[in-house]
Amino acid sequence: MSILVGTDTKLCVSGITGREGTFHAMNNRRYGTAVVSGVTPGKGGQDVEGVPVFDTLHDAIAETGANTAMIFVPPRFAADSILEAEDAGIELIIAITEGIPAHDELRVYNHIARNPDVRLVGPNCPGILSPGKANVGIIPASFFSEGNVGVVSRSGTLTYQIGNELAQAGFGNSTIVGIGGDPVPGSSFVDVIALFEADPETELIVMAGEIGGSAEEEAAEFIAEHVSKPVVAYIAGFTAPPGKTMGHAGAIVSGTAGTAVAKQEALEARGVRVGRTPTEVAQIAAEIAGALKA
Amino acid sequence: MDLLEYQGKQLFARHGVPVPSGAPATTVEEAVAAADEIGYPCVVKAQVQIGGRGKAGGIQVAKDRTEAEAHANAIIGMDIRGLTVHEVWIEAASDIAAEYYASIVFDRAAKRPLVLLSTQGGMDIEEVADRDPQAIARLHVDPLLGFQDFHARRLTFEAGVDADVVRPIGALLTRLYAAFVAEEAMLVEVNPLIVTGDRQVMALDAKVTLDDSSLFRHPDNAGLRSTDGEDPQERMARERGLTYVKLDGNVGILGNGAGLVMSTLDVVAQAGGSPANFLDAGGGSKAEAITSAVEVILSNDNVTAVLFNIFGGITRCDEVARGLIEAFRQVEPDVPFVVRLDGTNDAEGRALLAEADLPNVHAESTMLDAARRVVELAGAGTDGAPTSPTVPVGEGRETDLGAADARREAGE
């Protein structure tokens, strides 16, 4: 098993005719993901290398039975596209788009939160990869193999770095989930860690956080109370000066709360080991895996 | 993006939030003309994006024309904590009977706007929060419902505002919320929100932070960006579409993706180095962006070595290599570079670099080795350069006021 995406994923790509949309939709299909349809308003009836394109997500679902939508449309139209996917009855919406206005994200989050049958991952995320099964998004899949480590991260490239360190230490992955670095992510660490806890294939969970917000602290609380599997954490941004935004809208140190140190302390206080470098994360994972086998 | 006080007040006025009448001025002559127009007494207020204006002498009351001229003369060109005052705001002096506090914060943790109201305005709101948390009424608003009259009633009664201003304060909060939503703000803050002697309510100060990602919908707001307080290298980077933050050290850093770059800073610090900057070249960086980024990094004279840490997903390593080769052709750097390329098209990228055989460029295959190498090279390039990691240690004190607190902490 894996979480969120797998062999039963039927993907519809919103924005499939754009340059990046086409490139990554085809990349995902080459990996083995069932890319069943795409949406670009006004281009219904066309196809992208054999994938049928529809004017609306409603049409795409009715015609192709898509159960997962990947949002690859520009920031100013992305919120609308996510809401359209929810309205059309998609179960899982993965929003890759970066730079969606914060108030749009707020409206989308609060609207989707009222529908228990829909999950949003992202926006501004690299997507979700279940090695050997399906890849939805922009994660370079060749660095990852099937295995038992679930990874959840706020940052795309940091996920690759940690995944690569884990791979070199001999680990494969059940699923890798990028939840995105925006102020209002659709899914949190807690949401994804709960899924990993329930996933029989996942034996170890790695979470990669960064400065800003309180998502890591909330995860620490949740892990202490609800998670039986070992969790290894990494926090980026120990050297970040307060008050400066570090690229991700979420990555700003505001005063004292939200610093890397505060997050590390919150996690360690609840028994979660925190690696100080991506390499150390892999070393800790290896120690824990060794102890599990022993 | 942060607005100056008067820009915030003009934004408030557009949404019906009452503010004193006033006018901006960039010269003493303009200031005096504005003061004559507004009448005396009036207040001459320095317009800089930094706190402590009053203490620094940047806010002065003028009883007459002579004083207005003297104050404008003193304030324009004044240095306030490193920022030069280029502009003043002249406004009618207010008769203050009570000072309240109001703000609306984009609360990321709750994923709702948070409205705060207190009768203890005019001072540092974080001090109030520490000393007497009950003195601040707080209410989250469902963004899909919007700010309703009952929200206003709950806040005004809980905060304990004077009975005769319950309705006008409620109306002001309603308009402030409308401004927060319509202008897509991350923070609107009024401190103090005053009640005048004749029982009018008014925003006597305005702190507004707008969402950069929404500026495409607000071209007028986008034009308000002040570059006064901006570091020249940071401005250069922003104009080139790069995310750059200048730091105090000597190791220049470039990576792709904010998380990986932050991680790179940490690993360099742990290796005993001191990062000179944060630079995220972004996803899908093309060669030109990389060349541009090298120019930005090297424009900081403190840099004695540069680390490229790339893990390509959308970014293709061959593009990065081409950008670096072009940068060497254009800029001819005289400091060593350490380059680590992994991910999409990494073999092509490494081959291009090997073929170009750039002077003083060192390839490393892991992030850790690359960090160690660059620290070694950076140290060799300077005498007595700072090598201790600059890890800020928080006090662990938590408040839940969000951004309003952050700005107080930053000295506002």
Side-chain angles (χ1 to χ4, degrees), chain A residues 24 76 101-104 106 109-110 114 143 155 157 160-161 213 234 237-239 241 244 246 250 255-256 276-277, chain B residues 108 111 142-143 180 185 211 216-217 234 247 256-260 263 265-266 269-270 278 314 340 343 392 397 409:
Chain A
H24 291 285
R76 65 178 70 199
H103 281 255
D104 281 2
L106 203 59
Y109 177 89
N110 281 279
R114 281 168 205 198
F143 288 91
S155 153
T157 48
Y160 317 156
Q161 177 67 34
Y234 176 74
F238 280 90
T239 35
K244 290 279 194 180
M246 289 276 187
T256 51
R276 288 297 302 258
T277 61
Chain B
R108 292 166 37 179
K111 300 179 173 69
D142 177 347
F180 176 79
D211 173 23
F216 70 84
R217 284 198 283 241
E234 292 185 5
L247 302 170
N256 62 321
L260 182 62
S263 177
L265 301 185
D266 292 347
Q270 282 163 20
F278 167 101
I314 264 189
R340 179 271 180 137
R397 185 161 53 95
E409 288 271 88

Side-chain angles (χ1 to χ4, degrees), chain A residues 40-263:
Chain A
T40 298
K43 296 197 174 172
Q46 300 182 8
D47 73 285
V48 171
E49 300 186 30
V51 177
V53 179
F54 297 88
D55 289 320
T56 69
L57 257 153
H58 296 73
D59 289 348
I61 292 173
E63 298 290 326
T64 66
N67 58 13
T68 302
M70 174 162 72
I71 309 298
F72 239 113
V73 303
R76 65 178 70 199
F77 310 116
D80 185 64
S81 220
I82 296 168
L83 293 172
E84 181 190 17
E86 185 270 345
D87 189 69
I90 283 278
E91 298 157 29
L92 174 62
I93 304 164
I94 300 167
I96 310 297
T97 307
E98 178 179 357
I100 299 178
H103 281 255
D104 281 2
E105 292 185 6
L106 203 59
R107 281 189 303 116
V108 165
Y109 177 89
N110 281 279
H111 179 72
I112 287 184
R114 281 168 205 198
N115 184 344
D117 300 325
V118 179
R119 179 184 299 279
L120 170 65
V121 176
N124 189 14
C125 83
I128 306 175
L129 165 67
S130 292
K133 302 184 182 79
N135 188 16
V136 177
I138 63 175
I139 297 175
S142 59
F143 288 91
F144 305 93
S145 58
E146 285 181 75
N148 306 107
V149 179
V151 177
V152 56
S153 170
R154 270 165 78 178
S155 153
T157 48
L158 184 56
T159 313
Y160 317 156
Q161 177 67 34
I162 288 176
N164 194 39
E165 302 269 8
L166 287 167
Q168 304 207 332
F171 292 100
N173 303 103
S174 50
T175 302
I176 294 142
V177 184
I179 55 174
D182 272 7
V184 193
S187 292
S188 64
F189 281 122
V190 168
D191 296 328
V192 177
I193 289 170
L195 295 174
F196 279 133
E197 172 70 9
D199 172 40
E201 195 189 325
T202 302
E203 292 175 2
L204 175 73
I205 302 165
V206 172
M207 64 172 274
E210 60 192 37
I211 51 167
S214 56
E216 291 80 4
E217 288 86 338
E218 285 154 25
E221 293 280 345
F222 180 82
I223 291 163
E225 285 170 30
H226 302 287
V227 179
S228 63
K229 296 175 182 178
V231 181
V232 183
Y234 176 74
I235 307 291
F238 280 90
T239 35
K244 290 279 194 180
T245 307
M246 289 276 187
H248 281 165
I252 178 165
V253 178
S254 303
T256 51
T259 60
V261 171
K263 288 172 188 298

Side-chain angles (χ1 to χ4, degrees), chain A residues 217 220 235 238 259-272 274, chain B residues 393-397:
Chain A
E217 288 86 338
I235 307 291
F238 280 90
T259 60
V261 171
K263 288 172 188 298
Q264 179 187 16
E265 284 170 356
L267 286 158
E268 287 180 344
R270 287 162 187 83
V272 178
V274 180
Chain B
V393 179
E395 298 160 26
R397 185 161 53 95

